[in-house]
Amino acid sequence: MALIRQDPDPIIGQADNFLAALERVSRVAPLTKPVLIIGERGTGKELIASRVHFLSERWQQPFIKFNCAALNEELLESELFGHVAGAFTGAVRGRVGRFELASGGTLFLDEIASMSLRLQEKLLRVVEYGEFEKLGSSETERADVRLVGAANQDLPSLAHQGRFREDLLDRLSFDVVTIPPLRERRDDVLLLAQQFASDMARELKHEYFAGFSPACEQQMQQYDWPGNVRELRNVVERAVYRAESPKRPIERVEFDPFTSPYRLRGAPAWAVGAPSGATVAAEAAPTGTTTGATPKFPLDFEQAVGEHEKSLVRAALAEARYNQRRAAQHLSLTYHQFRGLLRKYKLLDEARASYSPTSQIRVRVWTFIDEPVDKEFFRKRIRAAIELRNAGLDTAGEHRLLDHQRNTDAYRLIHAESDGIPGLIVDRYDDVLVMQSLTAGSEFWKET
């Protein structure tokens, strides 16, 4: 079986964190050790794996790629290690596995976390000793293969839960390359979009690509790209082919191709025997929402959808007491997706301003001397920490603000107790202002 060497696709990016990942790849590539590539879906793990191969001394040998999540356990074992005739029903002749095909070269196993523990044990033996048996055979085969694995999950956590073998993880993780998501590579968004758009224009036989309008560029840079580079490519290519005139810049892009007034939600009426359109609409509405009154037509569909999304965001913020991470959880969104909605609808300032200063914090105060604490200084510190928390910043910032205060009379350490979040706990209570003299070791409830 002849294998044709293919040159790797170009890797585009100039963000510092992405270049640092490429530098790590360049350093580990000349070795023969296994490598793990970790990253969210669509970040380009296969491209990084091909770079590992083509920068190694095995670059003229086969580069075999395989997705471990594509098959069940039995078929996966056969695909990886091969089988002999009669190994199972229907196996009328033997089959060469991926390890044999990759002999002398590199085998890239994507979604390696989906393998069963039994196959992980067999894979460990190949990595450890370079030996395996084909399915249905007791004859030991040798494999000279460099293994590159990839996953979009936290493998150490899976190993701690018993879902991934710790000894295999130890062997595979000689070095781990973690690819930053596109939302952490803002400088690369337009660079990649321009390349994808130019390639699509060339495929459509356009004379040139007219570019993106400033508003469109801003739209793409503010989006969080949960599908990363793969999603960006689809969005850009779709915008180029849908453009009415190839000689005019693209004014806007559509992130969700399923957007439609006829979008299906839940089971269709004919499948569940719904008696009327009203029943179907009620069943199609997401959990926690209501269909409301019939809208008056004609209307601007995108504006109506936008207003509904804004109302959901505001309701989630109110329910979460303007804690953005909790509000994101209420809407089953990631924190970055929720922040993207806040930016999209310009609600960031509103979210900060909507916080009511009638919250209380339980605080324990230690002082070296039995003197009242400077109340105004204390109130300013707590207010600043609450603003940090409402803005979604990490608790390290809260500790920096709540760390300590010094004056000519005493040194005091202020520490706010919390429900698992270091720094402070914020809950709403009645508007009762408690002002009292604080002494060493005292506990109190205080409105900020």
Side-chain angles (χ1 to χ4, degrees), residues 190 193-195 197-198 201 206 208-217 220 236 239-240 243 245-253:
L190 295 184
Q194 184 70 32
Q195 181 64 47
S198 299
H206 294 170
Y208 59 90
F209 172 59
F212 301 99
S213 70
C216 185
E217 290 182 348
M220 289 190 292
V236 169
V240 172
S245 172
K247 297 184 179 180
R248 297 178 56 186
I250 294 177
E251 297 293 334
R252 64 183 300 274
V253 293

Side-chain angles (χ1 to χ4, degrees), residues 81 99 122-133 140-145 171:
F81 306 107
F99 274 99
K122 196 166 184 177
L123 180 62
L124 174 63
R125 185 181 176 193
V126 182
V127 177
E128 189 82 39
Y129 305 109
E131 298 178 348
F132 67 95
E133 288 87 32
T140 300
E141 307 279 347
R142 297 288 303 175
D144 176 22
V145 176
R171 289 294 297 153

